[in-house]
Amino acid sequence: GAGVSQSPSNKVTEKGKDVELRCDPISGHTALYWYRQSLGQGLEFLIYFQGNSAPDKSGLPSDRFSAERTGGSVSTLTIQRTQQEDSAVYLCASSSDSGGTDTQYFGPGTRLTVL
Amino acid sequence: SQQGEEDPQALSIQEGENATMNCSYKTSINNLQWYRQNSGRGLVHLILIRSNEREKHSGRLRVTLDTSKKSSSLLITASRAADTASYFCATATTSGTYKYIFGTGTRLKVLA
């Protein structure tokens, strides 16, 4: 595809429900990143994938958060038992280089609202 | 705490004026990147400067990097209303992990 895509663009859920957020990176990009951005704040790193493995999960805020990547392409971020403080925009980015030397290309984000 | 912190947090200027934003960071970096974000959604990459570079230009953008002071600046010349956005710096550290640390951003408003 032409760029990074994310779905859904908006998600409203009730507290306690599970949600899945999807990211389709640019074809051929080996590195994939998930970030969270609360209203008016900077980006908070969540997790990084190199291929299908996640060498750095240090940013996941709790064990309710998990992510996987299959086939070196699509990634899913799952939040279990959502809480109101999980409300944020979740951004995905991909890059062709995993060594921290290349540009990240961002998707439009998923706005999650937990009621 | 945030690796990168932008200064000022908010900036309002008239169209045609120059806008300067600063970014400070704490640890050694591989490179530093500036991004623009419109309407709180996806970020657009503006420019990347490597740790061995001191200045870089791209159109109306000029970025400087001072590794001794652990700081960078982004200058937008002859600003336009369309430049209104939030601007973030992101650092790729040399600590062995490949994550980028984003600053808190500068909200720029260009008045027509």
Side-chain angles (χ1 to χ4, degrees), chain B residues 45-102:
Chain B
H45 177 259
L46 296 176
I47 197 164
L48 179 154
I49 187 165
R50 302 189 189 283
S51 60
N52 61 352
E53 297 176 310
R54 292 297 167 260
E55 187 171 314
K56 207 161 183 181
H57 297 255
S58 176
R60 293 183 297 112
L61 306 179
R62 172 177 168 255
V63 168
T64 62
L65 179 65
D66 187 334
T67 53
S68 66
K69 295 181 179 178
K70 292 187 168 58
S71 68
S72 173
S73 67
L74 170 67
L75 168 68
I76 305 174
T77 61
S79 63
R80 305 166 182 168
D83 295 330
T84 295
S86 290
Y87 291 82
F88 295 89
C89 68
T91 52
T93 68
T94 59
S95 63
T97 61
Y98 301 128
K99 62 187 180 187
Y100 289 81
I101 307 297
F102 281 77

CSV table of all heavy atoms in Angstrom, one decimal, chain B residues 45-102:
chain,number,residue,atom,x,y,z
B,45,HIS,N,7.0,13.0,8.9
B,45,HIS,CA,8.4,13.3,9.0
B,45,HIS,C,8.8,14.5,8.3
B,45,HIS,O,8.5,14.7,7.1
B,45,HIS,CB,9.1,12.0,8.5
B,45,HIS,CG,10.6,12.2,8.6
B,45,HIS,ND1,11.4,12.5,7.5
B,45,HIS,CD2,11.5,12.0,9.7
B,45,HIS,CE1,12.7,12.5,7.9
B,45,HIS,NE2,12.7,12.3,9.2
B,46,LEU,N,9.6,15.4,8.9
B,46,LEU,CA,10.1,16.6,8.3
B,46,LEU,C,11.6,16.4,7.9
B,46,LEU,O,11.9,16.7,6.8
B,46,LEU,CB,9.9,17.8,9.3
B,46,LEU,CG,8.5,18.1,9.6
B,46,LEU,CD1,8.5,19.3,10.6
B,46,LEU,CD2,7.7,18.5,8.4
B,47,ILE,N,12.4,16.1,8.9
B,47,ILE,CA,13.8,16.1,8.6
B,47,ILE,C,14.6,15.2,9.6
B,47,ILE,O,14.1,15.1,10.8
B,47,ILE,CB,14.4,17.5,8.6
B,47,ILE,CG1,15.7,17.7,7.9
B,47,ILE,CG2,14.4,18.1,10.0
B,47,ILE,CD1,16.1,19.1,7.6
B,48,LEU,N,15.6,14.6,9.2
B,48,LEU,CA,16.5,13.8,10.1
B,48,LEU,C,17.9,14.4,10.1
B,48,LEU,O,18.4,14.7,9.0
B,48,LEU,CB,16.5,12.3,9.6
B,48,LEU,CG,17.3,11.3,10.4
B,48,LEU,CD1,16.7,9.9,10.2
B,48,LEU,CD2,18.8,11.3,9.9
B,49,ILE,N,18.4,14.5,11.2
B,49,ILE,CA,19.8,15.0,11.3
B,49,ILE,C,20.6,13.9,12.2
B,49,ILE,O,20.2,13.5,13.2
B,49,ILE,CB,19.9,16.4,11.9
B,49,ILE,CG1,21.4,16.9,11.8
B,49,ILE,CG2,19.4,16.5,13.3
B,49,ILE,CD1,21.5,18.4,12.0
B,50,ARG,N,21.7,13.5,11.6
B,50,ARG,CA,22.5,12.5,12.3
B,50,ARG,C,23.5,13.1,13.3
B,50,ARG,O,23.7,14.3,13.3
B,50,ARG,CB,23.3,11.7,11.3
B,50,ARG,CG,22.4,11.0,10.3
B,50,ARG,CD,23.0,10.0,9.4
B,50,ARG,NE,22.2,9.6,8.3
B,50,ARG,CZ,21.2,8.7,8.4
B,50,ARG,NH1,20.9,8.2,9.6
B,50,ARG,NH2,20.4,8.4,7.4
B,51,SER,N,23.9,12.3,14.2
B,51,SER,CA,24.7,12.8,15.3
B,51,SER,C,26.0,13.5,14.9
B,51,SER,O,26.6,14.3,15.6
B,51,SER,CB,25.0,11.7,16.3
B,51,SER,OG,25.7,10.7,15.7
B,52,ASN,N,26.5,13.1,13.7
B,52,ASN,CA,27.8,13.8,13.2
B,52,ASN,C,27.5,15.0,12.3
B,52,ASN,O,28.4,15.5,11.7
B,52,ASN,CB,28.6,12.7,12.5
B,52,ASN,CG,27.9,12.2,11.2
B,52,ASN,OD1,26.7,12.4,11.0
B,52,ASN,ND2,28.6,11.4,10.4
B,53,GLU,N,26.2,15.4,12.2
B,53,GLU,CA,25.9,16.5,11.4
B,53,GLU,C,25.6,17.7,12.3
B,53,GLU,O,25.1,17.5,13.5
B,53,GLU,CB,24.7,16.2,10.5
B,53,GLU,CG,25.0,15.2,9.5
B,53,GLU,CD,23.8,14.8,8.6
B,53,GLU,OE1,22.7,14.6,9.2
B,53,GLU,OE2,23.9,14.8,7.4
B,54,ARG,N,25.8,18.9,11.9
B,54,ARG,CA,25.5,20.1,12.7
B,54,ARG,C,24.4,20.9,12.2
B,54,ARG,O,23.7,21.6,13.0
B,54,ARG,CB,26.8,20.9,12.8
B,54,ARG,CG,27.9,20.3,13.5
B,54,ARG,CD,27.5,20.1,15.0
B,54,ARG,NE,28.4,19.2,15.7
B,54,ARG,CZ,28.2,17.9,15.9
B,54,ARG,NH1,27.0,17.4,15.5
B,54,ARG,NH2,29.0,17.1,16.5
B,55,GLU,N,24.1,20.8,10.9
B,55,GLU,CA,23.0,21.7,10.3
B,55,GLU,C,22.5,21.0,9.1
B,55,GLU,O,23.3,20.3,8.3
B,55,GLU,CB,23.6,23.0,10.0
B,55,GLU,CG,22.5,24.0,9.5
B,55,GLU,CD,23.1,25.4,9.4
B,55,GLU,OE1,23.8,25.9,10.3
B,55,GLU,OE2,22.8,26.1,8.4
B,56,LYS,N,21.2,21.1,8.9
B,56,LYS,CA,20.6,20.5,7.7
B,56,LYS,C,19.4,21.4,7.2
B,56,LYS,O,18.7,22.0,8.1
B,56,LYS,CB,20.1,19.1,8.0
B,56,LYS,CG,20.0,18.2,6.8
B,56,LYS,CD,20.0,16.8,7.3
B,56,LYS,CE,20.0,15.9,6.1
B,56,LYS,NZ,19.9,14.4,6.5
B,57,HIS,N,19.2,21.5,5.9
B,57,HIS,CA,18.2,22.3,5.4
B,57,HIS,C,17.3,21.4,4.5
B,57,HIS,O,17.7,20.5,3.9
B,57,HIS,CB,18.8,23.4,4.5
B,57,HIS,CG,19.7,24.4,5.2
B,57,HIS,ND1,19.3,25.6,5.5
B,57,HIS,CD2,20.9,24.2,5.7
B,57,HIS,CE1,20.2,26.3,6.1
B,57,HIS,NE2,21.3,25.4,6.3
B,58,SER,N,16.0,21.8,4.5
B,58,SER,CA,15.0,21.2,3.6
B,58,SER,C,14.0,22.3,3.4
B,58,SER,O,13.1,22.5,4.2
B,58,SER,CB,14.4,20.0,4.3
B,58,SER,OG,13.4,19.4,3.4
B,59,GLY,N,14.0,22.9,2.2
B,59,GLY,CA,13.0,23.9,1.8
B,59,GLY,C,13.1,25.1,2.8
B,59,GLY,O,14.2,25.6,3.0
B,60,ARG,N,12.0,25.3,3.5
B,60,ARG,CA,12.0,26.5,4.4
B,60,ARG,C,12.4,26.0,5.8
B,60,ARG,O,12.3,26.8,6.8
B,60,ARG,CB,10.6,27.0,4.5
B,60,ARG,CG,10.1,27.7,3.2
B,60,ARG,CD,8.7,28.4,3.3
B,60,ARG,NE,7.7,27.4,3.6
B,60,ARG,CZ,7.0,27.3,4.7
B,60,ARG,NH1,7.2,28.0,5.7
B,60,ARG,NH2,6.1,26.3,4.8
B,61,LEU,N,12.8,24.8,6.0
B,61,LEU,CA,13.2,24.3,7.3
B,61,LEU,C,14.7,24.2,7.4
B,61,LEU,O,15.5,23.9,6.5
B,61,LEU,CB,12.7,22.8,7.5
B,61,LEU,CG,11.2,22.6,7.3
B,61,LEU,CD1,10.9,21.1,7.5
B,61,LEU,CD2,10.4,23.4,8.2
B,62,ARG,N,15.2,24.6,8.6
B,62,ARG,CA,16.6,24.5,8.9
B,62,ARG,C,16.7,23.9,10.3
B,62,ARG,O,16.1,24.4,11.3
B,62,ARG,CB,17.2,25.9,8.9
B,62,ARG,CG,18.7,25.9,9.4
B,62,ARG,CD,19.3,27.3,9.3
B,62,ARG,NE,20.5,27.4,10.1
B,62,ARG,CZ,20.7,28.1,11.2
B,62,ARG,NH1,19.7,28.6,11.8
B,62,ARG,NH2,21.9,28.1,11.8
B,63,VAL,N,17.5,22.9,10.4
B,63,VAL,CA,17.6,22.2,11.7
B,63,VAL,C,19.1,22.2,12.1
B,63,VAL,O,20.0,22.0,11.2
B,63,VAL,CB,17.2,20.7,11.6
B,63,VAL,CG1,17.6,19.9,12.8
B,63,VAL,CG2,15.7,20.6,11.5
B,64,THR,N,19.3,22.5,13.3
B,64,THR,CA,20.7,22.5,13.9
B,64,THR,C,20.8,21.4,15.0
B,64,THR,O,19.8,21.1,15.6
B,64,THR,CB,21.2,23.8,14.4
B,64,THR,OG1,20.3,24.2,15.5
B,64,THR,CG2,21.1,24.9,13.3
B,65,LEU,N,21.9,20.9,15.2
B,65,LEU,CA,22.2,19.9,16.3
B,65,LEU,C,23.5,20.3,17.0
B,65,LEU,O,24.5,20.4,16.3
B,65,LEU,CB,22.2,18.5,15.7
B,65,LEU,CG,22.5,17.4,16.7
B,65,LEU,CD1,21.3,17.3,17.7
B,65,LEU,CD2,22.7,16.1,16.0
B,66,ASP,N,23.4,20.4,18.3
B,66,ASP,CA,24.5,20.6,19.1
B,66,ASP,C,24.6,19.5,20.1
B,66,ASP,O,24.0,19.5,21.1
B,66,ASP,CB,24.4,22.0,19.8
B,66,ASP,CG,25.7,22.3,20.6
B,66,ASP,OD1,26.5,21.4,21.0
B,66,ASP,OD2,25.9,23.5,20.8
B,67,THR,N,25.5,18.5,19.8
B,67,THR,CA,25.5,17.3,20.7
B,67,THR,C,26.2,17.6,22.0
B,67,THR,O,26.0,16.9,23.0
B,67,THR,CB,26.3,16.1,19.9
B,67,THR,OG1,27.5,16.6,19.5
B,67,THR,CG2,25.5,15.6,18.8
B,68,SER,N,27.0,18.6,22.0
B,68,SER,CA,27.7,19.0,23.3
B,68,SER,C,26.7,19.6,24.3
B,68,SER,O,26.8,19.4,25.5
B,68,SER,CB,28.8,20.0,23.1
B,68,SER,OG,28.3,21.2,22.6
B,69,LYS,N,25.7,20.2,23.8
B,69,LYS,CA,24.6,20.8,24.6
B,69,LYS,C,23.4,19.9,24.6
B,69,LYS,O,22.4,20.2,25.3
B,69,LYS,CB,24.2,22.2,24.1
B,69,LYS,CG,25.3,23.2,24.2
B,69,LYS,CD,24.9,24.6,23.8
B,69,LYS,CE,26.0,25.6,23.9
B,69,LYS,NZ,25.6,26.9,23.4
B,70,LYS,N,23.4,18.8,23.9
B,70,LYS,CA,22.3,17.9,23.8
B,70,LYS,C,21.0,18.7,23.4
B,70,LYS,O,20.0,18.6,24.1
B,70,LYS,CB,22.1,17.1,25.0
B,70,LYS,CG,23.2,16.1,25.3
B,70,LYS,CD,22.9,15.2,26.5
B,70,LYS,CE,23.8,14.0,26.6
B,70,LYS,NZ,25.2,14.4,26.7
B,71,SER,N,21.1,19.4,22.3
B,71,SER,CA,20.0,20.2,21.9
B,71,SER,C,19.9,20.4,20.4
B,71,SER,O,20.9,20.2,19.7
B,71,SER,CB,20.0,21.6,22.6
B,71,SER,OG,21.1,22.4,22.0
B,72,SER,N,18.7,20.6,19.9
B,72,SER,CA,18.5,20.8,18.5
B,72,SER,C,17.5,22.0,18.4
B,72,SER,O,16.7,22.2,19.3
B,72,SER,CB,17.9,19.6,17.9
B,72,SER,OG,17.5,19.8,16.5
B,73,SER,N,17.5,22.6,17.2
B,73,SER,CA,16.5,23.7,16.9
B,73,SER,C,16.0,23.4,15.5
B,73,SER,O,16.7,23.0,14.6
B,73,SER,CB,17.1,25.1,17.1
B,73,SER,OG,18.0,25.3,16.0
B,74,LEU,N,14.7,23.8,15.4
B,74,LEU,CA,14.0,23.8,14.1
B,74,LEU,C,13.6,25.2,13.8
B,74,LEU,O,12.9,25.8,14.6
B,74,LEU,CB,12.8,22.8,14.2
B,74,LEU,CG,11.8,22.9,13.0
B,74,LEU,CD1,12.5,22.4,11.7
B,74,LEU,CD2,10.6,22.1,13.2
B,75,LEU,N,14.0,25.7,12.7
B,75,LEU,CA,13.6,27.0,12.2
B,75,LEU,C,12.8,26.9,11.0
B,75,LEU,O,13.1,26.2,10.0
B,75,LEU,CB,14.9,27.8,11.9
B,75,LEU,CG,14.6,29.2,11.1
B,75,LEU,CD1,13.9,30.1,12.0
B,75,LEU,CD2,16.0,29.7,10.7
B,76,ILE,N,11.6,27.5,11.0
B,76,ILE,CA,10.7,27.5,9.9
B,76,ILE,C,10.7,29.0,9.4
B,76,ILE,O,10.3,29.9,10.1
B,76,ILE,CB,9.3,27.1,10.2
B,76,ILE,CG1,9.3,25.7,10.8
B,76,ILE,CG2,8.4,27.1,8.9
B,76,ILE,CD1,7.9,25.3,11.3
B,77,THR,N,11.2,29.2,8.2
B,77,THR,CA,11.3,30.6,7.7
B,77,THR,C,10.0,30.9,6.9
B,77,THR,O,9.3,30.0,6.3
B,77,THR,CB,12.5,30.8,6.8
B,77,THR,OG1,12.4,29.9,5.7
B,77,THR,CG2,13.8,30.5,7.5
B,78,ALA,N,9.7,32.2,6.8
B,78,ALA,CA,8.6,32.7,6.1
B,78,ALA,C,7.3,31.8,6.3
B,78,ALA,O,6.8,31.3,5.4
B,78,ALA,CB,8.9,32.7,4.6
B,79,SER,N,6.9,31.8,7.6
B,79,SER,CA,5.8,30.8,7.9
B,79,SER,C,4.5,31.2,7.2
B,79,SER,O,4.3,32.3,6.8
B,79,SER,CB,5.6,30.9,9.4
B,79,SER,OG,5.2,32.2,9.8
B,80,ARG,N,3.7,30.1,7.1
B,80,ARG,CA,2.4,30.2,6.4
B,80,ARG,C,1.4,29.7,7.4
B,80,ARG,O,1.7,28.9,8.3
B,80,ARG,CB,2.4,29.3,5.1
B,80,ARG,CG,3.5,29.7,4.2
B,80,ARG,CD,3.7,28.6,3.1
B,80,ARG,NE,4.8,28.9,2.2
B,80,ARG,CZ,5.3,28.0,1.3
B,80,ARG,NH1,4.8,26.8,1.2
B,80,ARG,NH2,6.3,28.4,0.5
B,81,ALA,N,0.1,30.0,7.1
B,81,ALA,CA,-1.0,29.5,8.0
B,81,ALA,C,-1.0,28.0,8.0
B,81,ALA,O,-1.3,27.4,9.0
B,81,ALA,CB,-2.3,30.1,7.5
B,82,ALA,N,-0.6,27.4,6.8
B,82,ALA,CA,-0.6,25.9,6.7
B,82,ALA,C,0.5,25.3,7.6
B,82,ALA,O,0.4,24.1,7.8
B,82,ALA,CB,-0.4,25.5,5.3
B,83,ASP,N,1.4,26.1,8.2
B,83,ASP,CA,2.4,25.5,9.1
B,83,ASP,C,1.8,25.3,10.5
B,83,ASP,O,2.5,24.7,11.3
B,83,ASP,CB,3.6,26.4,9.1
B,83,ASP,CG,4.4,26.5,7.8
B,83,ASP,OD1,4.4,25.6,7.0
B,83,ASP,OD2,4.9,27.6,7.6
B,84,THR,N,0.6,25.8,10.7
B,84,THR,CA,0.0,25.6,12.0
B,84,THR,C,-0.1,24.1,12.3
B,84,THR,O,-0.8,23.4,11.6
B,84,THR,CB,-1.4,26.3,12.0
B,84,THR,OG1,-1.2,27.7,11.9
B,84,THR,CG2,-2.1,26.0,13.4
B,85,ALA,N,0.5,23.7,13.4
B,85,ALA,CA,0.6,22.3,13.7
B,85,ALA,C,1.3,22.1,15.0
B,85,ALA,O,1.9,23.1,15.6
B,85,ALA,CB,1.2,21.5,12.6
B,86,SER,N,1.4,20.9,15.5
B,86,SER,CA,2.4,20.6,16.6
B,86,SER,C,3.6,20.0,16.0
B,86,SER,O,3.5,19.2,15.1
B,86,SER,CB,1.7,19.6,17.6
B,86,SER,OG,0.7,20.3,18.3
B,87,TYR,N,4.7,20.4,16.6
B,87,TYR,CA,6.0,19.9,16.1
B,87,TYR,C,6.7,19.1,17.2
B,87,TYR,O,6.8,19.6,18.4
B,87,TYR,CB,6.9,21.1,15.6
B,87,TYR,CG,6.3,21.7,14.4
B,87,TYR,CD1,5.3,22.6,14.5
B,87,TYR,CD2,6.8,21.4,13.1
B,87,TYR,CE1,4.7,23.2,13.3
B,87,TYR,CE2,6.3,21.9,12.0
B,87,TYR,CZ,5.2,22.8,12.1
B,87,TYR,OH,4.7,23.4,11.0
B,88,PHE,N,7.2,17.9,16.9
B,88,PHE,CA,7.9,17.1,17.9
B,88,PHE,C,9.3,16.7,17.4
B,88,PHE,O,9.5,16.5,16.2
B,88,PHE,CB,7.1,15.7,18.0
B,88,PHE,CG,5.7,15.9,18.6
B,88,PHE,CD1,4.6,16.1,17.8
B,88,PHE,CD2,5.5,15.8,20.0
B,88,PHE,CE1,3.3,16.3,18.3
B,88,PHE,CE2,4.3,15.9,20.5
B,88,PHE,CZ,3.2,16.1,19.7
B,89,CYS,N,10.2,16.6,18.4
B,89,CYS,CA,11.5,16.0,18.1
B,89,CYS,C,11.5,14.6,18.6
B,89,CYS,O,10.8,14.3,19.6
B,89,CYS,CB,12.6,16.9,18.7
B,89,CYS,SG,12.7,16.8,20.5
B,90,ALA,N,12.2,13.8,17.9
B,90,ALA,CA,12.3,12.4,18.3
B,90,ALA,C,13.8,12.0,18.3
B,90,ALA,O,14.5,12.2,17.3
B,90,ALA,CB,11.5,11.5,17.5
B,91,THR,N,14.3,11.3,19.3
B,91,THR,CA,15.7,10.9,19.3
B,91,THR,C,15.8,9.4,19.3
B,91,THR,O,15.0,8.7,19.9
B,91,THR,CB,16.4,11.4,20.6
B,91,THR,OG1,15.6,11.0,21.7
B,91,THR,CG2,16.5,12.9,20.6
B,92,ALA,N,16.7,8.9,18.4
B,92,ALA,CA,17.0,7.5,18.4
B,92,ALA,C,18.3,7.4,19.2
B,92,ALA,O,19.4,7.9,18.8
B,92,ALA,CB,17.3,7.1,17.0
B,93,THR,N,18.2,6.7,20.3
B,93,THR,CA,19.4,6.6,21.2
B,93,THR,C,20.4,5.5,20.8
B,93,THR,O,20.1,4.7,19.9
B,93,THR,CB,18.9,6.3,22.7
B,93,THR,OG1,18.4,5.0,22.7
B,93,THR,CG2,17.8,7.3,23.1
B,94,THR,N,21.5,5.6,21.4
B,94,THR,CA,22.6,4.6,21.1
B,94,THR,C,22.6,3.5,22.2
B,94,THR,O,23.6,2.8,22.3
B,94,THR,CB,23.9,5.3,21.0
B,94,THR,OG1,24.2,5.9,22.3
B,94,THR,CG2,24.0,6.3,19.9
B,95,SER,N,21.6,3.4,22.9
B,95,SER,CA,21.6,2.5,24.1
B,95,SER,C,21.4,1.1,23.7
B,95,SER,O,21.4,0.2,24.6
B,95,SER,CB,20.5,3.0,25.1
B,95,SER,OG,19.2,2.8,24.5
B,96,GLY,N,21.2,0.8,22.5
B,96,GLY,CA,21.0,-0.6,22.1
B,96,GLY,C,19.6,-1.0,21.7
B,96,GLY,O,19.4,-2.0,21.1
B,97,THR,N,18.7,-0.2,22.2
B,97,THR,CA,17.3,-0.4,21.8
B,97,THR,C,17.0,0.5,20.6
B,97,THR,O,17.6,1.5,20.4
B,97,THR,CB,16.3,-0.2,22.9
B,97,THR,OG1,16.4,1.2,23.3
B,97,THR,CG2,16.6,-1.1,24.1
B,98,TYR,N,16.0,0.1,19.8
B,98,TYR,CA,15.7,0.9,18.6
B,98,TYR,C,14.4,1.7,18.7
B,98,TYR,O,13.7,1.8,17.7
B,98,TYR,CB,15.7,-0.1,17.5
B,98,TYR,CG,17.0,-0.8,17.3
B,98,TYR,CD1,17.0,-2.2,17.3
B,98,TYR,CD2,18.2,-0.1,17.3
B,98,TYR,CE1,18.2,-2.9,17.2
B,98,TYR,CE2,19.4,-0.8,17.3
B,98,TYR,CZ,19.4,-2.2,17.2
B,98,TYR,OH,20.6,-2.8,17.1
B,99,LYS,N,14.1,2.1,19.8
B,99,LYS,CA,12.9,2.9,19.9
B,99,LYS,C,13.2,4.4,19.9
B,99,LYS,O,14.3,4.8,20.2
B,99,LYS,CB,12.1,2.7,21.3
B,99,LYS,CG,12.9,3.0,22.5
B,99,LYS,CD,12.2,2.5,23.7
B,99,LYS,CE,13.0,2.9,25.0
B,99,LYS,NZ,12.4,2.3,26.2
B,100,TYR,N,12.3,5.2,19.4
B,100,TYR,CA,12.4,6.6,19.4
B,100,TYR,C,11.7,7.2,20.6
B,100,TYR,O,10.6,6.8,20.9
B,100,TYR,CB,11.8,7.1,18.1
B,100,TYR,CG,12.6,6.8,16.8
B,100,TYR,CD1,12.5,5.5,16.2
B,100,TYR,CD2,13.5,7.7,16.3
B,100,TYR,CE1,13.2,5.2,15.1
B,100,TYR,CE2,14.2,7.4,15.1
B,100,TYR,CZ,14.0,6.1,14.6
B,100,TYR,OH,14.8,5.8,13.4
B,101,ILE,N,12.4,8.2,21.1
B,101,ILE,CA,11.8,8.9,22.3
B,101,ILE,C,11.3,10.3,21.8
B,101,ILE,O,12.1,11.0,21.2
B,101,ILE,CB,12.8,9.1,23.4
B,101,ILE,CG1,13.4,7.7,23.8
B,101,ILE,CG2,12.1,9.8,24.6
B,101,ILE,CD1,12.4,6.8,24.3
B,102,PHE,N,10.0,10.5,21.9
B,102,PHE,CA,9.4,11.8,21.4
B,102,PHE,C,9.3,12.8,22.6
B,102,PHE,O,9.1,12.4,23.7
B,102,PHE,CB,8.0,11.5,20.9
B,102,PHE,CG,8.1,10.9,19.5
B,102,PHE,CD1,8.3,9.6,19.3
B,102,PHE,CD2,7.8,11.8,18.4
B,102,PHE,CE1,8.4,9.1,18.0
B,102,PHE,CE2,7.8,11.2,17.1
B,102,PHE,CZ,8.1,9.9,16.9
